[in-house]
Amino acid sequence: MGAELKNHLHEQYYFKLRLGFAGLAVFCLFSALAFRFSYLQIKQYNHYQTLAENNRISLVPIIPNRGLIVDKNGVVLAHNFFAYTLEITPAKVYNLEETITEIGKLVEISSVDRKRFKKFREQSHNFESIPIRTHLNEVEAAKFAVNHYRFPGVEIKSRLFRHYPLGKLGSHMVGYIGRINDKDLVNLEASGDLSNYKGSDHIGKSGLEQYYEKHLHGITGFQQVEIDADGHAVRVLSSNPPIPGNNIVLSADSKLQEIAETAFGERRGALVAINPKTGEVLSYVSQPTFDPNLFVDGIDSENWKALNESLDKPLINRPLRGVYPPGSTFKPFVAMAGLEAGKREPPYSIHDPGFFTLPGSSHRYRDWKPSGHGSVDMQKAITISCDTFFYGLAMELGIENLAAFVRHFGFGRKSDFDIKGEIEGLLPTPEWKKRRFKQPWYPGETVIVGIGQGYTLVTPLQLAQATAILANNGVAMRPHLVSQIQNTQSGKNQIVAPFIQDKIELNPNNIAIVKQGMMDVTLPGGTAASVGANAGYAIAAKTGTAQVIGIKQNEKYNEHGIDERHRDHALFIAYAPAEDPKIALAVIVENGGHGGSAAGPIARKVMDYYLLGKLPATEPVKENKKSNGNTAATVPEEELHD
C-alpha cells in the first residue's frame, strides 16, 4: 500500500487559523488586563490611595481626663491619677498561661489579678489588650521593660485611673465607674456616643458618676500616627487633643456627710437633708455603705460576694430604693388634707377613748395610748401623735381624696432626682388594689392609711422632700445634688437653677396649725422633747414608728423579745429653724424602735452642725438612747410611742 500523501496546504491553513485565534485570545486578555490596570490606576486612584494611606497611617484615640467631683467647699470626692499597667494582647501571644507564669517571675501576679484577667478576657475581643496587672511601681515597670523583648504581645501602658479619696464616705451619692460591658456598648450606640468612647475602658455605673456621665467623660482626641510595615509607630503626623470632662460641684458638704454617717454608728438606715427653698440636697446617707474604689479595676469575687450576700445589703441605695411605711410621720400631711378639705376646722376636737371603731363594726383600732388622750384638737393630735384622731379623719376624707392631696407633697411619684434608679413608692387606692390583688378596697384599710400604715410605702428621699415642701408652704422644689457644672475649657460655671416642680395653694391659717403642732413635738410633752432640748433654734418635727411584722390585737409590742431585724423602724422628719426653714430632713433607722430616741438624735447632730457649726460629741449614738446629752434627763412616755 502506498504511503498516504499529506495535504500541506490544508494543514498550513488550519495552523494559521489556530494561531490567529490564539493571538486574538492573547490580545483580548492583554487588552482586558490593560483596561483593568487603567481602571485601577486612573479611575480608582483616589480610593486605593486612601486605603494605602490608611495602612500607613493609624488613628490612635487619646482618652480625655475625666472631670472631678467636689463638694460645696471644694473637697475632692473623685479624681484621677496615672499609673502603669501591664497588658496582654491574647492574639499576639503563643502560649498565654506560660507567658503569664513567666511574667510572674518578674512582677507579682496574684490570684486576684489572674481571676480579673480571665473575667476581662471573656468580656473582650482577642485582639484587645487586657490588663494582667495594674498600678505597677517604677521598679516593677523598669524590671519588665528590660525583659520586654522576651514577651511579644505584652506591653507596659500608662493609664488614667479613678480614685475616691474619702473611700466609703458618700459612696451611694458619688457612685463609681467600672469597665464598659456589652450593655453599655448597646446604650452608647443607641445614644450616638459610641465614637466618643474609642479607647475608653470605663464608664459611670452608679450615682452621680452615672447620671452626669456625659459631662464628666469629656471628648476623645485622636493622633494620626505613621506606622511602618511591622506596625511600629514612626512619627505623629497630626494631633487633635482631647477635651477634658467638666467638673461637678455638689450642694452637699463632706463634713456634714461625715457627721451624719458617723451618727448612725453600726445601724442601718438612711438620711436625706434638703434646703427647702432651693431643693439642694445637703446630705445624702445610705447605711451601711461600701468603698467605691473596689469597683474601678473590677471587683474581685471575694469582695463582691461579701457585699452582695451581706444581710445588711450595703449595695442598696436606701434613700432612693428603700421603701418603708411612713408611720406617724405621715400624720402632718393627713392633717393638711383634713384642714384644706374643711373636715377639721378649729375649734374642732374629739374625745379620744384610746380606740376608734367603724360605724356598724365592733373592731377597735387602737391608739398607742390604751387609756386615750382625752380632748384632742388638730394641733394637739400632731404633737402627741394621737392615732384615734387620724383614724377618723382618714375615713372622712376617703382614700381617693387623701391620696390625691398628699401626692402634691411628692408621695407616690418620682422626684426627677439626679441619681438614677429612684422608686415611686406607693400611695394605695381602690383601683390599685383591684389591679394588684383583684380585691375590693375595705374601709378599715383607709383607717390605717391615716397613720401611715397599711399598703402605704415611701422612700427616705420622698419623706425628706415632703417635709421640705411643707416647710416651704406647699412649693415643691426639684431635689438635686449638683449645684454647678464647671467647664474645664472656658472656666465658666453653669449654675443648676432651682426648679419648681409643683405648687399647691394652702391656707396660711391651716399651715400655721400644722407647723405649730410640729414645733410642739420638740417641746416638753411632745414625742421628741429631748431632741429639741437646748437646741438654740426652733425645730418643727414629727416622730414615727413603722411596723416590720404585725402583732395580735391584744398583744403588747416588746422589742427586746423579738429578733433585732423584726423590730419596728424608727422615723423622724424635721425642719429648722421653724420660723425660717433652711434645712429639712428625714431619718430612718431600720429596726431602730422609736423615732424620737433612735432617729431624732441623728437629725439633731446634722441640724446642729449645719445651722450652728456645732460638732457632735465623739461618742457614737447608742441604740434606743433616751437622752441626747442635753438637759432633758428623761424621755417622756409619749416619745416612746409615735
Side-chain angles (χ1 to χ4, degrees):
M1 185 175 179
E4 184 178 349
L5 296 176
K6 294 184 178 180
N7 190 337
H8 293 287
L9 292 175
H10 188 271
E11 289 183 1
Q12 188 177 23
Y13 170 76
Y14 281 105
F15 175 75
K16 289 181 178 179
L17 185 63
R18 288 193 295 269
L19 187 62
F21 276 118
L24 181 62
V26 171
F27 175 77
C28 290
L29 289 173
F30 272 99
S31 297
L33 190 60
F35 175 79
R36 183 62 177 169
F37 281 158
S38 300
Y39 176 77
L40 294 175
Q41 293 286 344
I42 300 173
K43 187 72 175 178
Q44 293 290 304
Y45 173 80
N46 292 331
H47 172 70
Y48 285 101
Q49 184 190 41
T50 302
L51 291 179
E53 194 69 12
N54 287 341
N55 287 334
R56 185 179 69 89
I57 298 174
S58 176
L59 283 177
V60 179
I62 308 174
I63 303 172
N65 280 349
R66 192 172 180 86
L68 306 180
I69 301 177
V70 301
D71 81 345
K72 64 181 297 183
N73 298 315
V75 176
V76 177
L77 306 178
H79 69 112
N80 316 296
F81 68 95
F82 280 98
Y84 293 119
T85 65
L86 194 59
E87 305 195 11
I88 300 175
T89 305
K92 297 181 180 180
V93 176
Y94 177 71
N95 189 319
L96 193 58
E97 286 301 321
E98 183 179 329
T99 299
I100 293 175
T101 301
E102 288 299 314
I103 292 173
K105 296 177 181 179
L106 296 174
V107 298
E108 182 183 359
I109 305 294
S110 67
S111 60
V112 173
D113 293 327
R114 286 177 175 268
K115 289 178 182 177
R116 185 169 53 226
F117 177 82
K118 182 180 179 181
K119 177 184 175 183
F120 289 165
R121 190 185 175 196
E122 291 171 352
Q123 299 172 349
S124 307
H125 298 291
N126 213 33
F127 53 82
E128 294 179 333
S129 65
I130 304 169
I132 182 64
R133 168 70 195 282
T134 59
H135 300 87
L136 272 71
N137 58 43
E138 292 184 359
V139 174
E140 290 173 319
K143 189 183 294 186
F144 180 82
V146 173
N147 293 273
H148 179 250
Y149 70 94
R150 295 170 46 200
F151 302 98
V154 185
E155 292 183 283
I156 291 179
K157 293 186 178 181
S158 178
R159 284 190 181 266
L160 199 63
F161 287 90
R162 195 67 159 173
H163 183 245
Y164 304 96
L166 300 186
K168 293 183 177 183
L169 188 70
S171 63
H172 286 93
M173 171 177 63
V174 176
Y176 60 87
I177 67 170
R179 286 183 67 89
I180 296 174
N181 56 31
D182 291 339
K183 183 179 178 181
D184 296 322
L185 291 174
V186 171
N187 292 335
L188 287 170
E189 188 170 11
S191 64
D193 296 322
L194 186 59
S195 61
N196 193 35
Y197 282 78
K198 296 292 184 183
S200 296
D201 295 321
H202 294 80
I203 194 170
K205 295 286 188 176
S206 73
L208 297 171
E209 290 276 30
Q210 180 186 36
Y211 191 90
Y212 288 93
E213 173 64 26
K214 286 191 176 183
H215 287 284
L216 291 166
H217 179 263
I219 299 176
T220 301
F222 288 93
Q223 280 185 337
Q224 279 192 327
V225 180
E226 184 178 2
I227 57 175
D228 59 21
D230 294 325
H232 297 134
V234 176
R235 58 177 174 149
V236 176
L237 300 177
S238 65
S239 179
N240 184 22
I243 298 177
N246 297 327
N247 302 330
I248 60 175
V249 182
L250 309 190
S251 53
D253 178 356
S254 58
K255 183 60 181 177
L256 183 66
Q257 185 74 16
E258 180 186 359
I259 288 170
E261 291 191 15
T262 302
F264 273 87
E266 299 298 318
R267 294 171 295 183
R268 303 174 300 279
L271 177 148
V272 179
I274 300 175
N275 182 332
K277 293 183 175 65
T278 64
E280 291 181 326
V281 173
L282 310 172
S283 182
Y284 183 93
V285 175
S286 181
Q287 288 289 99
T289 184
F290 63 91
D291 187 353
N293 292 299
L294 294 172
F295 290 87
V296 175
D297 292 338
I299 190 168
D300 60 87
S301 57
E302 288 80 7
N303 278 313
W304 172 250
K305 183 177 181 181
L307 290 172
N308 199 43
E309 296 182 3
S310 170
L311 292 176
D312 293 335
K313 305 298 181 185
L315 295 179
I316 292 180
N317 195 325
R318 284 171 164 82
L320 281 185
R321 301 190 62 79
V323 286
Y324 311 83
S328 293
T329 59
F330 199 57
K331 290 175 181 176
F333 309 100
V334 179
M336 279 303 314
L339 289 168
E340 289 294 310
K343 301 292 185 181
R344 293 293 184 271
E345 293 180 355
Y348 183 95
S349 65
I350 66 166
H351 176 77
D352 172 25
F355 60 87
F356 172 82
T357 57
L358 284 167
S361 171
S362 61
H363 180 76
R364 291 184 173 184
Y365 296 88
R366 298 176 302 170
D367 192 279
W368 65 262
K369 188 174 183 180
S371 61
H373 298 278
S375 180
V376 180
D377 62 7
M378 178 65 82
Q379 185 173 314
K380 183 179 178 182
I382 296 171
T383 303
I384 63 174
S385 200
C386 177
D387 294 331
T388 305
F389 189 94
F390 290 99
Y391 288 145
L393 176 55
M395 273 303 300
E396 288 190 41
L397 283 168
I399 188 62
E400 292 94 342
N401 293 332
L402 178 56
F405 182 86
V406 299
R407 187 174 290 274
H408 287 290
F409 289 87
F411 294 116
R413 63 180 183 179
K414 296 181 181 180
S415 66
D416 194 26
F417 190 52
D418 48 359
I419 293 180
K420 294 182 179 180
E422 182 179 3
I423 288 178
E424 288 183 347
L426 177 60
L427 273 181
T429 62
E431 293 76 19
W432 167 84
K433 189 185 178 190
K434 187 174 182 179
R435 187 172 60 250
R436 177 68 176 81
F437 296 110
K438 306 294 190 284
Q439 294 178 356
W441 184 269
Y442 299 109
E445 293 171 320
T446 302
V447 171
I448 58 176
V449 167
I451 64 166
Q453 298 290 350
Y455 297 116
T456 308
L457 294 172
V458 302
T459 66
L461 176 62
Q462 286 177 336
L463 204 53
Q465 186 188 22
T467 308
I469 295 170
L470 182 61
N472 204 28
N473 299 327
V475 180
M477 308 302 296
R478 174 183 175 266
H480 58 280
L481 271 163
V482 172
S483 61
Q484 54 184 295
I485 300 172
Q486 296 178 341
N487 189 304
T488 52
Q489 289 292 100
S490 66
K492 295 181 179 179
N493 292 343
Q494 175 188 340
I495 305 298
V496 178
F499 176 74
I500 298 176
Q501 283 184 318
D502 194 3
K503 184 176 182 180
I504 180 171
E505 297 295 335
L506 300 174
N507 186 313
N509 294 328
N510 295 337
I511 296 175
I513 292 170
V514 173
K515 286 188 171 184
Q516 188 59 55
M518 293 179 68
M519 289 176 65
D520 292 345
V521 166
T522 59
L523 298 177
T527 58
S530 65
V531 176
N534 294 336
Y537 51 89
I539 303 172
K542 185 70 191 78
T543 55
T545 299
Q547 288 184 350
V548 175
I549 58 172
I551 58 174
K552 296 179 181 179
Q553 175 70 13
N554 297 315
E555 182 181 346
K556 188 171 182 179
Y557 174 75
N558 177 14
E559 68 175 39
H560 300 293
I562 60 176
D563 182 82
E564 186 265 342
R565 293 181 185 273
H566 291 161
R567 297 174 188 170
D568 294 344
H569 297 318
L571 299 93
F572 188 83
I573 61 172
Y575 62 86
E579 64 280 1
D580 182 23
K582 293 180 174 61
I583 182 173
L585 50 74
V587 184
I588 291 178
V589 178
E590 293 181 4
N591 312 116
H594 307 288
S597 55
I602 296 175
R604 173 66 186 271
K605 289 175 184 291
V606 171
M607 291 186 291
D608 275 356
Y609 180 77
Y610 185 75
L611 297 173
L612 305 176
K614 181 180 177 182
L615 293 172
T618 55
E619 72 273 11
V621 179
K622 295 181 180 179
E623 186 175 1
N624 296 331
K625 189 175 179 181
K626 295 188 177 182
S627 172
N628 66 348
N630 296 308
T631 57
T634 60
V635 177
E637 180 189 6
E638 290 86 349
E639 192 164 339
L640 299 179
H641 304 276
D642 305 307

